[in-house]
Amino acid sequence: GLDGMGLARKLHEWSDLPIVMLTSVDEEETVVQAIERFAEDYIRKPCEPAELVARVESALHMKAEQDQLRDMALEADRLGAIDVLTGLGNRRQFDRRANELLAIVGGVTPVGVLMVDVDHFKRVNDREGHLAGDALLRRIPQVLAGGLRGTDWIGRYGGEEVLLLLPET
C-alpha cells in the first residue's frame, strides 16, 4: 500500500543502504524533501541507463566511504580508552564505566573504588631499567585480575596506579 516515496521512507528507517530515487514525480518540493530526509540522489524519468548506473555507483561509493570513516572513528574511540602498555582500560574508560555504573545502581547499591599504587616504583626503573618497570606494570593487573568477579573492572589510572571498580562492594 505504499507509493515510491513511502517505500523509500520505510527503507531508510529499516536500513542504512543508500537510496537513489527513480521516479516520474518532478515536483520540486518533493525532490527537495526526499533528498533532505532520506535519499542520496533523485533521478527523474525518463533517464539514461548509464546515468542511473553512475548515480547508483556513486551512492554506493559514498556509503562505503562513510562506513569506513565510521569504523575508523569507532576504532579511534576504542584505542583512546585503552592503555597501550597494559592493554587495560585507561582513565577515560574508567570515567565512562563509573558513570554508567552509577546511572544503573542509582545510589542504591554500593560501589567500591580501589586505587592500587606501587610504592617506590621509581626505584625499579632506576635499578632494573624501564623495561623491567614496564613488565612490572603489566604483571600487577594480571595478579589483581585473578581475584576479580565478572562485574568488576580494572584499569590503569596512570603512572604506576591501577584502578578497580567494584560494584556491590
Side-chain angles (χ1 to χ4, degrees):
L2 297 174
D3 62 6
M5 295 296 269
L7 177 60
R9 272 190 216 95
K10 286 291 181 191
L11 286 172
H12 181 71
E13 291 172 10
W14 297 334
S15 170
D16 66 346
L17 290 173
I19 296 172
V20 176
M21 298 282 299
L22 174 62
T23 180
S24 58
V25 175
D26 63 353
E27 297 166 2
E28 184 176 344
E29 183 179 329
T30 303
V31 174
V32 170
Q33 284 181 0
I35 291 174
E36 287 178 348
R37 294 181 185 168
F38 53 80
E40 276 66 39
D41 204 347
Y42 191 103
I43 307 167
R44 292 181 178 100
K45 291 180 186 176
C47 81
E48 296 296 322
E51 178 185 358
L52 176 60
V53 169
R55 289 179 185 247
V56 168
E57 286 177 349
S58 175
L60 290 172
H61 179 73
M62 285 191 329
K63 170 75 167 88
E65 286 182 349
Q66 289 170 351
D67 289 349
Q68 185 178 18
L69 286 172
R70 184 199 63 232
D71 291 347
M72 289 169 57
L74 289 170
E75 180 66 5
D77 188 55
R78 186 188 71 77
L79 290 174
I82 299 292
D83 174 64
V84 177
L85 178 65
T86 63
L88 296 173
N90 62 16
R91 199 170 165 172
R92 181 175 168 210
Q93 192 178 96
F94 169 78
D95 290 342
R96 260 195 227 154
R97 293 279 176 122
N99 287 330
E100 288 170 2
L101 183 60
L102 293 173
I104 292 169
V105 299
V108 175
T109 303
V111 176
V113 177
L114 181 66
M115 181 175 284
V116 178
D117 180 76
V118 180
D119 288 339
H120 313 294
F121 180 74
K122 184 175 177 342
R123 289 185 198 166
V124 174
N125 279 338
D126 291 346
R127 290 183 188 162
E128 306 296 325
H130 288 276
L131 290 178
D134 289 352
L136 176 62
L137 289 175
R138 284 190 292 273
R139 182 71 181 126
I140 291 168
Q142 292 172 351
V143 171
L144 293 172
L148 297 180
R149 305 162 299 172
T151 56
D152 298 337
W153 179 87
I154 184 170
R156 184 173 178 203
Y157 191 72
E160 70 277 8
E161 298 165 332
V162 175
L163 267 175
L164 297 124
L165 190 58
L166 312 165
E168 298 183 23
T169 304

